């Protein structure tokens, strides 16, 4: 039984499709010709499996990968300044959704599930909110590089294996995630602006995020994926 088949069997409450399924085109695409050997090698040296998750938006060792810079920064971003970071740990629940102006490229070192929604599914009045029944699940095997478009809402990947955890290298326009330097706009989208080029809202059940001041704009089930051992 394949990893995807077993995940599907364990999760009858949600349809899990491969990122190669045509429906994924609504949110992003698979990139088949990206080289990131040096960044992946450096990530494997540095990665320490942990509960919860940790992240850094800019890792110099990853940004030193000339192949990655050439195939991502030059091609995907048209020579815009790019940062290469990572997020790693363990996660099995949606908890939040975020988006950026500019695509985010994902390079997973282990099998992951991406939980995604579409920007047009956000309801903005009276405050920003989104029904989690619109969230879709896509399986990305280790090494499968995907680009999530600007309108592809997402958050921390789900590790397919509870034991293996996840480690995901990502690229974004440079300075994404930096602290804001001005007061947030008094607008619905300003309500969920949390950092430079980062808009995020969370589920009310993500109590730690709510306590930290994130807007609880997700309603419906807080989607959970039953992982493999």
């Amino acid at each position: 039984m394949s990893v995807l088949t077993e995940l599907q069997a364990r999760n009858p409450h949600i349809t899990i499709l491969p990122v190669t399924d045509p429906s994924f085109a609504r949110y992003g695409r698979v990139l088949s010709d990206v080289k990131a050997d040096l960044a992946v090698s450096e990530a494997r040296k540095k990665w320490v499996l942990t509960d919860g998750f940790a992240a850094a938006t800019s890792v110099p060792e990853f940004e030193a990968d000339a192949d990655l810079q050439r195939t991502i920064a030059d091609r995907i971003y048209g020579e815009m300044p790019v940062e290469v970071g990572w997020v790693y740990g363990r996660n099995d629940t949606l908890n939040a959704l975020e988006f950026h102006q500019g695509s985010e490229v994902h390079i997973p070192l282990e099998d992951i599930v991406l939980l995604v929604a579409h920007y047009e599914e956000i309801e903005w009045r009276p405050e920003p909110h989104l029904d989690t029944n619109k969230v879709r699940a896509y399986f990305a095997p280790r090494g499968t590089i995907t680009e999530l478009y600007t309108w592809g809402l997402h958050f921390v990947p789900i590790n397919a294996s509870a034991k293996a955890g996840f480690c995901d290298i990502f690229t974004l326009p440079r300075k994404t995630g930096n602290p804001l330097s001005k007061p947030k706009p008094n607008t619905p989208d300003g309500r969920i602006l949390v950092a430079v080029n980062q808009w995020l809202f969370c589920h009310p059940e993500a109590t730690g995020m709510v306590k930290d001041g994130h807007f609880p704009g997700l309603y419906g089930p807080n989607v959970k994926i039953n992982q493999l051992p």
Side-chain angles (χ1 to χ4, degrees), residues 61-208:
E61 294 91 335
F62 303 166
E63 293 171 353
D65 188 332
D67 284 334
L68 182 59
Q69 287 289 335
R70 182 166 53 252
T71 58
I72 293 294
D74 295 352
R75 174 191 164 196
I76 303 301
Y77 296 96
E79 299 186 9
M80 287 172 55
V82 173
E83 62 191 21
V84 185
W86 67 341
V87 59
Y88 58 92
R90 290 188 174 95
N91 183 45
D92 63 2
T93 308
L94 175 66
N95 284 329
L97 286 170
E98 67 178 359
F99 63 90
H100 318 282
Q101 295 297 335
S103 292
E104 181 169 346
V105 174
H106 293 268
I107 306 170
L109 275 64
E110 298 292 343
D111 298 340
I112 60 171
V113 174
L114 297 170
L115 296 177
V116 298
H118 198 284
Y119 180 89
E120 68 181 13
E121 293 164 341
I122 301 174
E123 301 170 68
W124 292 102
R125 303 291 180 182
E127 292 184 296
H129 56 287
L130 185 143
D131 182 356
T132 60
N133 287 295
K134 298 182 182 297
V135 169
R136 299 293 176 260
Y138 289 93
F139 173 69
R142 59 186 291 180
T144 302
I145 301 176
T146 56
E147 176 187 359
L148 283 180
Y149 302 137
T150 297
W151 50 86
L153 277 63
H154 59 280
F155 194 50
V156 177
I158 307 292
N159 42 293
S161 163
K163 180 180 180 180
F166 74 89
C167 180
D168 182 46
I169 299 171
F170 61 79
T171 71
L172 282 165
R174 184 159 289 280
K175 296 187 178 180
T176 296
N178 283 10
L180 295 166
S181 61
K182 302 176 183 178
K184 297 194 292 185
N186 186 24
T187 58
D189 52 344
R191 185 75 173 84
I192 59 172
L193 181 63
V194 298
V196 171
N197 195 28
Q198 185 180 15
W199 291 261
L200 180 148
F201 46 175
C202 67
H203 196 281
E205 292 179 3
T207 54

